[in-house]
Amino acid sequence: MPLDLPTAQNSASVLETFARVRGDSEALAKPLSPEDCMIQSMEAASPAKWHLAHTSWFFETFILVPNAKLVPNAKDYSPFHPDFGYLFNSYYNQIGEMHQRGKRGMLSRPSLQDVLSYRSFVNDALIRLVEDADEKTFAAIEPLILLGCSHEQQHQELLLTDLQHGLFQNAMKPAIYKDAREGEGGGAPLKWREMEGGVCNIGWNGDGFAFDNEQPRHKVYLHPFELANRPVTNGEFIEFIEDGGYQEPLHWLSDAWEVINRDRWTAPLYWRKSQTDNKWYRYSLFGEVEIDPHAPVCHVSSYEAAAYASWIGARLPTEFEWEAAASLFPLEGRFLKGGAPFLPKPASNLENDDRLLQLFGDVWEWTASPYVAYPGFAVPPGAVGEYNGKFMSGQMVLKGGSCATPEGHIRVSYRNFFPPEARWQFSGFRLARDCN
């Protein structure tokens, strides 16, 4: 699937991308009540209303305010509200002070309607700015608009994952979206594909948009390895659970063992085993659904992924092994489309199929690699430089996107990152092993 955030395009193309991305966010929020949009279940999550406002703040702060005098029909652009810069700044210290992250769910005001009005206000001003911009101005703001669009797509996924975690706290286990199926087919048997290794090029080198942390492109040496043809499934992970995997310290990192005992983990997030029919279920934005044993396991941490790999006698791939292997296959998968969420589905079961399946979409795949800078990486100047570089500590890299990742957002070089204990994202994993 080609990347659909263009660069070096005319203003009409950029505005088309802008309108589509902004519309997709509002389509995701449409089924939500104002009360749904206020939920914040933990400090790492944010309310849907905050996501809708913050993405507008991004365009306002980095594009509209610096170009205030160029916005047509305005005597110097003025921010929509004097307090929104404080309320909806996320972590940009160079911009100024910000509201406490853990208290975003306390913001009953501004109302959801006020936030939607804010979005409309920003949309209108940015469209007028682009339509009236001369060549020099457009060349300066186009990369920031595309960054803002990709940033908003990230927040579309976060809106869904944060909302799911919040609604999970509700004993009613409400369904927000409708008509989702876990998938069709019986799944694909586990196979191993040998990768010869050698010197590989890693990182982005295309002409389109990419984040700074995907660059510069550089060479790495890979020893020969094998990669599983698909992610680990729910059924396979249930075997780990039923074999006492969460009770056996042998397979867990020291930090992981402390976390699972402190937080009493006995299964992936959102899972429960019914005492009535002895079946496994999990909560989703479509309500509680019976677990499909052939679908990829989802909502597991890096700790759980590594423990399973140890239990089965394998390991997690490095991000470089994953990227080198994935670069051999088309960028196709099950993604978020036009504001319509999905659930992960089983891999296709095709005879004599030696492809690597589900590399993209369905579930993010944990790797064994820490999130650090590539050789030659430099933080961009100004506040935009705080976007990625400041988080290169204590996080692990995930690759490939998920069913909650907007279609067209992912690249082979894309690097997602979360702390190793995080599991409220659509995160799964596939196995790797050394060639002996």
Side-chain angles (χ1 to χ4, degrees), residues 58-59 118 130 149 222 226 239 367 394 397 403 424 428:
F58 190 94
F59 286 108
Y118 179 37
V130 172
C149 289
L222 302 178
E226 291 183 316
E239 293 178 13
T367 73
V397 173
C403 58
W424 86 104

Side-chain angles (χ1 to χ4, degrees), residues 161-173:
T161 55
D162 295 356
L163 178 67
Q164 180 175 348
H165 192 270
L167 292 173
F168 178 64
Q169 317 307 316
N170 188 327
M172 296 171 63
K173 300 296 183 283

Side-chain angles (χ1 to χ4, degrees), residues 224-244:
F225 66 98
E226 291 183 316
L227 199 60
N229 65 321
R230 55 157 175 78
V232 169
T233 65
N234 290 318
E236 290 166 339
F237 203 86
I238 288 172
E239 293 178 13
F240 169 71
I241 296 172
E242 294 180 344
D243 192 49

Side-chain angles (χ1 to χ4, degrees), residues 171-190:
M172 296 171 63
K173 300 296 183 283
I176 297 297
Y177 303 101
K178 298 179 180 180
D179 302 326
R181 290 183 293 174
E182 195 86 4
E184 303 85 16
L190 179 66

Side-chain angles (χ1 to χ4, degrees), residues 1-6 17-18 20-22 24-25 28 51 55 59 119 145-160 209 211 335-338 364 387 404-411 414 425:
M1 179 184 302
L3 182 67
D4 63 352
L5 287 176
T17 297
F18 174 76
R20 174 176 51 78
V21 170
R22 300 285 280 172
D24 286 348
S25 297
L28 289 175
H51 287 297
T55 48
F59 286 108
R119 290 181 64 84
I145 295 173
L146 297 179
L147 174 62
C149 289
S150 198
H151 166 259
E152 181 146 351
Q153 288 183 317
Q154 290 180 316
H155 278 272
Q156 289 167 3
E157 182 161 7
L158 289 170
L159 186 156
L160 292 173
F209 174 85
F211 287 115
F335 296 103
L336 177 68
K337 294 183 179 180
W364 286 100
Y387 196 102
T405 304
E407 186 176 35
H409 180 70
I410 283 294
R411 298 165 291 284
Y414 195 107
Q425 299 301 311

